[in-house]
Coordinates of all heavy atoms in Angstrom, one line a residue:
A75 N -11.5 8.7 12.3 CA -12.1 7.6 11.6 C -13.5 7.3 12.0 O -14.4 7.0 11.2 CB -11.2 6.3 11.9
S76 N -13.9 7.5 13.3 CA -15.2 7.2 13.7 C -16.3 8.1 13.1 O -17.4 7.8 13.0 CB -15.3 7.2 15.3 OG -15.0 8.5 15.7
S77 N -15.8 9.3 12.7 CA -16.8 10.3 12.1 C -16.6 10.3 10.6 O -17.2 11.2 9.9 CB -16.6 11.7 12.7 OG -15.3 12.1 12.5
S78 N -15.8 9.4 10.0 CA -15.5 9.5 8.6 C -16.7 9.3 7.7 O -16.8 9.9 6.6 CB -14.4 8.5 8.2 OG -14.8 7.2 8.6
H79 N -17.6 8.5 8.1 CA -18.8 8.3 7.3 C -19.5 9.7 7.1 O -20.0 10.0 6.0 CB -19.8 7.3 7.9 CG -21.1 7.1 7.2 ND1 -21.1 6.6 5.9 CD2 -22.4 7.2 7.6 CE1 -22.4 6.5 5.5 NE2 -23.1 6.9 6.5
R80 N -19.5 10.5 8.1 CA -20.1 11.8 8.1 C -19.3 12.8 7.2 O -19.8 13.4 6.3 CB -20.3 12.4 9.5 CG -21.0 13.7 9.5 CD -21.6 13.9 10.9 NE -20.6 13.9 11.9 CZ -20.6 13.0 12.9 NH1 -21.4 12.0 12.9 NH2 -19.7 13.1 13.8
W81 N -18.0 12.9 7.5 CA -17.3 13.9 6.7 C -17.0 13.5 5.2 O -16.7 14.3 4.4 CB -16.0 14.4 7.4 CG -14.9 13.5 7.9 CD1 -14.7 13.1 9.2 CD2 -13.9 12.9 7.1 NE1 -13.7 12.2 9.2 CE2 -13.1 12.1 8.0 CE3 -13.6 12.9 5.7 CZ2 -12.1 11.3 7.6 CZ3 -12.5 12.1 5.3 CH2 -11.8 11.3 6.2
L82 N -17.1 12.2 5.0 CA -17.0 11.8 3.6 C -18.3 12.1 2.8 O -18.3 12.3 1.6 CB -16.7 10.3 3.5 CG -15.2 9.9 3.8 CD1 -15.1 8.4 4.1 CD2 -14.3 10.4 2.8
N83 N -19.4 12.1 3.5 CA -20.7 12.4 2.8 C -21.0 13.9 2.9 O -21.7 14.4 2.0 CB -21.9 11.6 3.5 CG -21.9 10.2 3.0 OD1 -22.3 10.0 1.9 ND2 -21.5 9.2 3.8
C84 N -20.6 14.5 3.9 CA -20.8 16.0 4.1 C -19.5 16.6 4.4 O -19.1 16.7 5.6 CB -21.9 16.2 5.1 SG -22.1 17.9 5.6
T85 N -18.7 17.0 3.5 CA -17.3 17.4 3.7 C -17.1 18.6 4.7 O -16.2 18.6 5.5 CB -16.5 17.6 2.4 OG1 -17.2 18.5 1.6 CG2 -16.2 16.3 1.7
P86 N -18.1 19.6 4.7 CA -17.9 20.7 5.6 C -18.2 20.3 7.1 O -17.9 21.1 8.0 CB -18.8 21.8 5.1 CG -19.4 21.3 3.9 CD -19.3 19.8 3.8
S87 N -18.8 19.1 7.3 CA -19.2 18.8 8.7 C -18.1 18.8 9.7 O -18.3 19.2 10.9 CB -20.0 17.5 8.7 OG -19.2 16.4 8.3
A88 N -16.9 18.3 9.3 CA -15.9 18.1 10.3 C -15.5 19.5 10.9 O -15.4 19.7 12.1 CB -14.7 17.4 9.7
M89 N -15.4 20.5 10.0 CA -15.0 21.8 10.5 C -16.2 22.4 11.2 O -16.0 23.1 12.3 CB -14.5 22.7 9.4 CG -13.9 24.0 9.8 SD -12.9 24.7 8.6 CE -11.4 23.9 8.7
A90 N -17.4 22.2 10.7 CA -18.6 22.8 11.4 C -18.7 22.2 12.8 O -19.1 23.0 13.7 CB -19.8 22.4 10.5

Side-chain angles (χ1 to χ4, degrees):
S76 59
S77 59
S78 57
H79 179 55
R80 184 158 57 250
W81 55 256
L82 285 166
N83 279 289
C84 172
T85 50
S87 64
M89 192 163 276

